[in-house]
């Protein structure tokens, strides 16, 4: 049995939404993606293996839909997930194995924004010249935003949620434009979960910052 024989059933239509067939790949990507973001919002370590499974499903889906930068992005996500998995369990520093939520520093913002601009321009140029992508700029923009957000997620930077929110605002109409209506709906759910995650991480950061004051007062 070849790899194509294994993957082919995943790409077969399961249901039809708005006269558009929805494959098993998109359904599985929907479910694993929603679960992953919910786990991240709760700072649960299981988000990383679930996220890797989600990346695999989306590689198949996006490559089939001509979203090449998004397909390639999933491979980078898998690498970053391994890094994030390790960081969340070993990056807390002396005395703790748990990585705390922190704010993004000015230096981090400087190089993140610079990398985002360069990445967007470079990927747009690559997609325009080397592929048949019909949405090179938007594909490149969401790729750069997602990479910036994933770095912040790996380091538990609070502002990573704002980067995910910005990416989702673009992803929702982009996927609808490409006929990926279930995935577009998934990203509406992602947007809502990002707001929940932002609230939860902000609450955790505020509570941790308040503890030294309580100790000093005691």
């Amino acid at each position: 049995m070849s790899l194509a024989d294994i993957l082919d059933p995943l790409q077969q239509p399961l249901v039809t939404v708005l006269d558009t067939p929805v494959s098993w790949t998109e359904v599985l990507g929907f479910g694993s993606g929603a679960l992953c973001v919910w786990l991240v919002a709760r700072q649960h370590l299981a988000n990383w293996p679930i996220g890797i499974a989600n990346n695999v499903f989306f590689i198949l889906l996006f490559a089939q839909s001509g979203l090449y930068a998004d397909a390639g992005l999933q491979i980078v996500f898998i690498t970053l997930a391994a890094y994030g998995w390790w960081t969340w369990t070993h990056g807390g520093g002396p005395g703790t194995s748990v990585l705390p939520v922190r704010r993004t520093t000015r230096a981090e913002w400087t190089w993140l924004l610079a990398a985002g601009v360069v990445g967007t321009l470079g990927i747009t140029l690559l997609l325009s010249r080397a592929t048949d992508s019909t949405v090179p700029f938007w594909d490149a923009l969401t790729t750069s935003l997602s990479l910036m957000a994933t770095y912040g997620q790996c380091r538990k930077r609070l502002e990573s949620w704002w980067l995910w929110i910005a990416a989702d605002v673009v992803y929702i109409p982009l996927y609808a434009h490409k006929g990926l209506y279930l995935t577009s709906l998934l990203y509406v759910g992602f947007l809502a979960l990002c707001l929940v995650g932002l609230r939860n991480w902000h609450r955790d950061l505020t509570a941790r910052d308040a503890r030294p004051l309580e100790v000093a007062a005691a």
Side-chain angles (χ1 to χ4, degrees), residues 28-143:
L28 292 171
F30 182 107
S32 59
L35 177 59
C36 176
V37 177
W38 182 78
L39 290 169
V40 174
R42 295 176 62 85
Q43 299 186 53
H44 197 294
L45 193 63
N47 85 85
W48 297 112
I50 296 297
I52 290 173
N54 176 253
N55 299 147
V56 172
F57 293 134
F58 276 153
I59 288 174
L60 301 175
L61 179 66
F62 293 150
Q64 189 178 24
S65 300
L67 292 168
Y68 304 112
D70 274 346
L73 176 62
Q74 305 308 309
I75 298 175
V76 180
F77 277 162
I78 291 173
T79 303
L80 287 174
Y83 167 69
W85 198 344
W86 184 90
T87 303
W88 276 36
T89 54
H90 297 84
T96 177
S97 61
V98 178
L99 184 70
V101 176
R102 300 184 188 278
R103 292 191 177 277
T104 307
T105 66
R106 182 175 298 180
E108 285 176 320
W109 271 124
T110 298
W111 72 260
L112 273 174
L113 291 174
V117 170
V118 172
T120 299
L121 293 176
I123 296 171
T124 299
L125 184 63
L126 175 64
L127 294 176
S128 298
R129 295 187 175 184
T131 75
D132 60 355
S133 174
T134 59
V135 286
F137 171 75
W138 298 109
D139 199 1
L141 176 62
T142 51
T143 296

Side-chain angles (χ1 to χ4, degrees), residues 155-169:
R155 301 298 304 166
K156 277 197 182 179
R157 297 303 192 243
L158 177 67
E159 292 77 13
S160 65
W161 289 110
W162 287 112
L163 293 171
W164 278 125
I165 289 168
D168 291 345
V169 167

Side-chain angles (χ1 to χ4, degrees), residues 131-195:
T131 75
D132 60 355
S133 174
T134 59
V135 286
F137 171 75
W138 298 109
D139 199 1
L141 176 62
T142 51
T143 296
S144 296
L145 284 171
S146 296
L147 286 172
M148 293 163 66
T150 301
Y151 166 81
Q153 179 184 323
C154 289
R155 301 298 304 166
K156 277 197 182 179
R157 297 303 192 243
L158 177 67
E159 292 77 13
S160 65
W161 289 110
W162 287 112
L163 293 171
W164 278 125
I165 289 168
D168 291 345
V169 167
V170 181
Y171 272 131
I172 292 167
L174 176 62
Y175 291 145
H177 173 72
K178 298 297 288 187
L180 300 173
Y181 298 112
L182 184 60
T183 301
S184 180
L185 178 62
L186 169 64
Y187 274 77
V188 173
F190 279 174
L191 183 58
L193 286 171
C194 283
L195 295 173

